[in-house]
Amino acid sequence: DGDASSTYLTSDNLVIRGVKTGKKHAWDGEWRPSQVNHGILPGAIRSLDLVQRMTLNCTEINAAHVMRHNETLHCEWGLMSRSGWRLVDDTDTPPMHESDGWWDASGENGKNGHQDWYFFGHGLDYLGALKDYTMVGGAIPMLPRTAMGSWTTRWFNLNTDDVVDIIEEHKRYGLPLDVYVFDMNWHTKYASPDGWTGYSWDKRVFPFPDQLTSWLKHGNGLNLMANFHDEEGVGPTEDRYPEAARAVGIDPATKQTIPFSVTNKTIMLAIEDKVVLPLKANGSGFDWWWSDWQQGGIEGGATGGKANPNFWINKIRTTNSIRTGENLRDVTLARWSGLGNHRYQVGFTGDIGNRPVVDLSALKWTNLAYQPWFSSAGANVGYGFWSHDILGSHDDPELALRWVQWGAMSGVLRIHDRGLSSQFMCNDPFVRPGQTGRCGIDLIWKQPYQYFQGMRDAMLLRYALMPYIYTAMREAFDTGVSLLRPMYYYWPDLEMAYAGDLHGNYAQYMFGPDILAAPVVNQTDIHMHLANTKVWLPPGVWIERNTGRVIDVSSSSGMSFENAWDITEVPMFVKDGSIIPISMDVYPGHSLGTLQESYETLAFEIYQTSQAPEIIESRVYEDDGKTRNYLDGDYVSTTVLVKRDGDITTINVDAPMSAGSQKPWMREKRAYQFRLVNACPVVTKVSISGQGDIPYTAMKVDRSGKASWHFDAATGSVVIDLGLVPVTQSQVVTIAYAQDASMSGVRGTIHHANLAKRALDATEQTPGGSPYDTANGKLN
């Protein structure tokens, strides 16, 4: 409504009214320009560089003119509000030049006084707001599957042997790895005044880079990423300076530095095409780029604010393959630059710390406690794949462990040793009893054994969940809903869904559609060696994944409870009636580059209590994981349907493809496994279509590919292995139970009993476990 005669939209001539449609959570209010939005939800800021904790209140941040690295934080509110509406004013965002499609970061070709508004009147339908945002702002792209795996990097003066050693240690300890990142030590240090900018291999430490990258990529199946600080341009000592200089009209003989510019198309594309992209070396060099821009918001010809260099760098390096005709998905690790940056993932939160100069002593539990809330809020602007420096501490291995556990349940798991072992509180790299000044090194295999075990288990957990994670990524592409999802997406009417905060209270979120993750972000009790946290469970039935405990939340407002967790546990709760697809492709001798190929063994954890529907269903999405062919329909889905009928449970797995339509990127055969969580072990028979009854085995320890079933007491699950089957054939499994009995909590009881026994064994306090224990006797 309103008088349209005025040039500008104001509260005098514009009213937007919501229509009462009867749809749940629909907005039926009234809005006018200049109306204050009291219920608006948080979104994102540029990074966490030198930031301890911030409210993400853009009104306060902008009023205080908060700056980091001579740049604003580009704070943006979320696209949804408890008030039911959100206005996005995009008027001051630079447009594109009509002639060449290049960004007009100078502002000379402005919008000529026109208003550019987007109004989201979705009520409490937050998922609908995100979906509609992608219709006007673009989709969240599918990242390469390997980007969802484990990354590692070190900011050290590494040489070839050091890099090889890091990879070999991952193999030795069975640590999964798919991405190796070269921090700035890879390039020459003399090409720019301060040594930060460089585009050429430093052959003093990497004399044969082609051999090294070929070994990493083709010998170990890794993707490679290189760090750039572009601000100082291309100097005359760079390997590819002559080609780039001629491309921009500079005589190489003058040795004039090519300035870096985001507004000059000729210069920027010359740097990309003549300097950056040749580093890919026909598939044998780098794959992706870490655009580590921290040199200010008005450099490179930009005017600052929404016209910042980072945005255009992110765009160009995430779409270079489209521009050059290479059919691969690009990845750029970079800081957030404003609305629209969701199209150019992955987010880099920068150098975490509380001091003007980052050091390990500044890393506290408060930094860790802030990150789950911060990351899930990013989903409110479509930026749900933040990558944090997964750090250690010079004197707290428990903090390092919890950081890895959180990283395993975050958007991107990137282990990053920032070279802090040679700075600040460090003067001795050797560990001795009672030592002071010991160097903290973020190498997982150098952590005390019990913490190392927990870190490795967390990394293996992420890889086990990869089919679930990658399917959720496809959902992000289709719907705009990221992997990490605030609780209020699904329970917007419940006050406790908004209880999470920057202090780490209720540090929980939905990890995909079916798992509630609540990573531990506080220290254990010094006496009990357990960490107490509060968790809020929404209404319904939930199964605690670590213990198998069934929790029935009958209250319409949900249930808040406190629990104590040991250092091995990552609190996760699965919705009853869910089927969680998991991978079993990481095993001894096979931990590197496993995400380059399609799944070798696809398993399904089936959570179906007596209160769940009789029929439940799930699907697994798959594509080649590398190219943009998914945009043209080159993908498959495997659907699993479980039906419970009295004492009989039937599992149907459809064939992801038909005979004659085999995908070149998919295996012709693969193994299937089904894990019926909390199922009664008293089973009369298990049969498979076309094979009849299959045998019971006391313990499944081999990978022979033969069909069998067993009861896994450690997880409280009936486990059925189908063996290798053609992917063009559907499968039907029937399980007949002799009785119906819940195994709720048995898994946790066994797990905690074993932990207690091992602790007692270590100090010879196990009752009856010592030959010298005459009081309690022996255990025979």
Side-chain angles (χ1 to χ4, degrees):
D1 289 346
D3 179 8
S5 62
S6 175
T7 305
Y8 296 102
L9 296 173
T10 69
S11 57
D12 294 327
N13 62 15
L14 175 64
V15 180
I16 298 178
R17 295 188 177 94
V19 178
K20 292 185 178 181
T21 61
K23 183 179 178 182
K24 188 177 181 181
H25 299 143
W27 178 67
D28 59 0
E30 181 176 296
W31 176 86
R32 295 175 183 270
S34 302
Q35 189 169 322
V36 178
N37 196 331
H38 295 288
I40 196 166
L41 294 168
I45 57 175
R46 177 176 178 268
S47 69
L48 298 181
D49 288 295
L50 310 180
V51 170
Q52 182 177 11
R53 289 183 299 204
M54 267 190 187
T55 64
L56 301 185
N57 185 315
C58 296
T59 303
E60 295 177 357
I61 290 172
N62 295 334
H65 303 290
V66 179
M67 304 279 286
R68 290 293 183 272
H69 297 144
N70 297 317
E71 190 167 355
T72 67
L73 296 186
H74 310 306
C75 187
E76 290 283 358
W77 289 105
L79 295 165
M80 62 285 292
S81 170
R82 299 182 74 177
S83 301
W85 60 269
R86 164 76 158 102
L87 177 73
V88 175
D89 186 350
D90 208 38
T91 302
D92 58 350
T93 298
M96 304 288 190
H97 282 290
E98 292 185 15
S99 59
D100 60 4
W102 199 254
W103 190 38
D104 180 19
S106 67
E108 295 176 357
N109 185 32
K111 296 180 179 177
N112 299 319
H114 294 294
Q115 291 166 291
D116 189 4
W117 288 1
Y118 298 85
F119 185 83
F120 295 83
H122 291 78
L124 300 184
D125 180 12
Y126 302 147
L127 302 181
L130 290 168
K131 173 64 176 177
D132 284 353
Y133 174 60
T134 63
M135 302 300 290
V136 296
I140 299 173
M142 289 288 295
L143 295 170
R145 185 167 53 238
T146 52
M148 291 292 94
S150 176
W151 306 25
T152 194
T153 184
R154 302 187 78 199
W155 181 22
F156 271 60
N157 292 320
L158 303 175
N159 60 25
T160 298
D161 289 342
D162 295 325
V163 173
V164 170
D165 182 66
I166 290 171
I167 303 306
E168 293 299 330
E169 292 298 307
H170 276 80
K171 294 179 186 177
R172 181 178 305 167
Y173 290 100
L175 297 171
L177 183 67
D178 271 273
V179 182
Y180 185 83
V181 185
F182 285 86
D183 208 328
M184 58 181 289
N185 60 282
W186 74 272
H187 63 70
T188 54
K189 317 302 185 294
Y190 47 79
S192 66
D194 60 13
W196 283 62
T197 299
Y199 301 93
S200 306
W201 282 97
D202 188 343
K203 295 187 178 179
R204 297 172 301 174
V205 288
F206 299 109
F208 305 105
D210 291 346
Q211 293 182 18
L212 174 61
T213 56
S214 179
W215 179 77
L216 290 168
K217 290 169 64 69
H218 307 305
N220 292 281
L222 302 179
N223 281 116
L224 305 182
M225 174 177 275
N227 177 281
F228 288 137
H229 292 85
D230 294 284
E231 191 262 339
E232 292 174 330
V234 181
T237 60
E238 298 287 358
D239 292 347
R240 297 170 185 83
Y241 170 78
E243 296 93 328
R246 283 190 286 268
V248 299
I250 295 176
D251 181 358
T254 66
K255 298 185 178 181
Q256 176 186 343
T257 295
I258 304 170
F260 186 79
S261 174
V262 293
T263 55
N264 187 310
K265 182 178 181 179
T266 300
I267 290 178
M268 190 164 190
L269 292 188
I271 293 176
E272 293 301 302
D273 295 341
K274 304 299 182 182
V275 180
V276 173
L277 292 182
L279 290 166
K280 299 184 83 166
N282 298 318
S284 296
F286 295 122
D287 300 290
W288 310 327
W289 317 113
W290 177 3
S291 297
D292 198 357
W293 182 272
Q294 49 186 305
Q295 282 72 37
I298 58 173
E299 303 296 330
T303 57
K306 292 182 179 179
N308 64 83
N310 222 69
F311 205 117
W312 202 246
I313 294 171
N314 296 351
K315 171 184 168 59
I316 294 301
R317 292 203 173 132
T318 310
T319 59
N320 266 334
S321 64
I322 297 175
R323 182 176 58 84
T324 61
E326 185 181 29
N327 186 18
L328 290 173
R329 306 176 202 175
D330 287 323
V331 176
T332 297
L333 178 65
R335 292 167 175 83
W336 155 268
S337 301
L339 282 179
N341 208 150
H342 68 283
R343 299 187 297 269
Y344 317 123
Q345 309 265 7
V346 170
F348 171 48
T349 54
D351 298 321
I352 303 164
N354 309 335
R355 300 183 177 183
V357 179
V358 179
D359 69 280
L360 281 174
S361 65
L363 298 173
K364 306 295 182 183
W365 285 90
T366 53
N367 298 103
L368 172 61
Y370 179 66
Q371 290 188 358
W373 177 79
F374 172 88
S375 298
S376 57
N380 292 342
V381 289
Y383 209 63
F385 292 94
W386 275 114
S387 171
H388 301 279
D389 289 354
I390 304 301
L391 301 166
S393 173
H394 70 290
D395 61 356
D396 192 347
E398 183 189 349
L399 175 57
L401 165 63
R402 294 303 192 188
W403 224 308
V404 172
Q405 290 175 339
W406 144 242
M409 299 301 291
S410 70
V412 174
L413 171 61
R414 180 174 53 86
I415 310 296
H416 182 45
D417 188 334
R418 293 194 301 213
L420 301 175
S421 65
S422 60
Q423 299 181 51
F424 309 108
M425 298 186 67
C426 168
N427 56 36
D428 190 342
F430 301 100
V431 178
R432 299 186 303 278
Q435 174 188 0
T436 60
R438 178 170 60 86
C439 299
I441 300 177
D442 292 326
L443 296 174
I444 288 178
W445 51 91
K446 289 186 177 291
Q447 300 290 340
Y449 184 65
Q450 68 270 33
Y451 299 103
F452 160 77
Q453 281 185 309
M455 293 178 183
R456 180 173 62 184
D457 287 347
M459 297 172 73
L460 294 175
L461 170 63
R462 184 173 184 89
Y463 273 73
L465 289 171
M466 194 53 60
Y468 176 82
I469 291 171
Y470 198 63
T471 300
M473 175 175 282
R474 174 67 199 211
E475 187 177 348
F477 169 74
D478 288 331
T479 68
V481 182
S482 299
L483 175 63
L484 273 65
R485 307 169 185 188
M487 300 300 296
Y488 44 76
Y489 280 12
Y490 298 100
W491 297 275
D493 294 319
L494 301 183
E495 192 64 32
M496 283 300 296
Y498 303 87
D501 63 24
L502 71 167
H503 302 291
N505 296 310
Y506 295 99
Q508 61 183 79
Y509 48 89
M510 292 302 295
F511 188 71
D514 299 318
I515 297 175
L516 190 161
V520 175
V521 294
N522 56 281
Q523 214 163 359
T524 58
D525 178 86
I526 192 171
H527 301 293
M528 298 297 294
H529 303 291
L530 298 171
N532 288 295
T533 67
K534 288 184 177 180
V535 178
W536 174 72
L537 290 180
V541 178
W542 300 84
I543 297 92
E544 185 185 339
R545 190 177 186 272
N546 291 321
T547 65
R549 179 169 60 123
V550 177
I551 305 173
D552 185 355
V553 183
S554 57
S555 171
S556 60
S557 60
M559 179 183 74
S560 180
F561 69 99
E562 188 169 339
N563 199 55
W565 314 93
D566 66 66
I567 62 171
T568 70
E569 292 177 305
V570 182
M572 299 166 60
F573 303 85
V574 182
K575 289 197 297 188
D576 190 17
S578 299
I579 303 173
I580 307 298
I582 63 174
S583 168
M584 303 177 64
D585 292 350
V586 177
Y587 47 85
H590 191 252
S591 64
L592 267 62
T594 60
L595 300 182
Q596 296 281 3
E597 306 294 335
S598 61
Y599 304 120
E600 179 182 348
T601 300
L602 190 58
F604 299 89
E605 292 182 348
I606 300 169
Y607 294 84
Q608 189 181 31
T609 73
S610 59
Q611 299 180 64
E614 292 183 352
I615 299 177
I616 59 176
E617 185 176 346
S618 183
R619 79 175 184 109
V620 178
Y621 170 85
E622 296 176 81
D623 58 29
D624 63 22
K626 304 172 185 178
T627 73
R628 297 189 302 278
N629 290 343
Y630 71 93
L631 297 171
D632 299 319
D634 186 17
Y635 57 84
V636 300
S637 292
T638 301
T639 300
V640 177
L641 187 145
V642 179
K643 180 179 180 180
R644 185 187 63 237
D645 185 6
D647 296 334
I648 304 296
T649 295
T650 305
I651 304 171
N652 288 270
V653 185
D654 71 354
M657 61 185 67
S658 58
S661 63
Q662 182 72 37
K663 303 287 187 182
W665 45 266
M666 194 168 185
R667 301 174 190 271
E668 294 184 359
K669 292 184 177 182
R670 69 176 170 204
Y672 286 111
Q673 184 185 90
F674 305 96
R675 308 182 69 87
L676 288 88
V677 179
N678 288 342
C680 176
V682 186
V683 175
T684 57
K685 71 173 182 177
V686 178
S687 60
I688 301 175
S689 56
Q691 297 186 43
D693 295 351
I694 61 174
Y696 168 83
T697 59
M699 182 177 290
K700 187 70 175 180
V701 295
D702 63 73
R703 303 180 64 86
S704 63
K706 298 178 181 178
S708 64
W709 76 275
H710 68 283
F711 180 72
D712 184 356
T715 63
S717 304
V718 171
V719 181
I720 302 161
D721 288 286
L722 262 61
L724 287 172
V725 297
V727 296
T728 55
Q729 294 180 6
S730 60
Q731 306 293 324
V732 179
V733 180
T734 303
I735 307 103
Y737 295 96
Q739 65 184 63
D740 184 15
S742 172
M743 301 292 287
S744 172
V746 171
R747 174 179 182 174
T749 301
I750 295 173
H751 169 70
H752 290 130
N754 279 328
L755 285 179
K757 178 184 179 299
R758 289 165 194 157
L760 292 169
D761 285 348
T763 55
E764 295 191 1
Q765 297 183 73
T766 308
S770 170
Y772 308 105
D773 186 356
T774 57
N776 295 297
K778 295 182 180 180
L779 293 177
N780 296 318

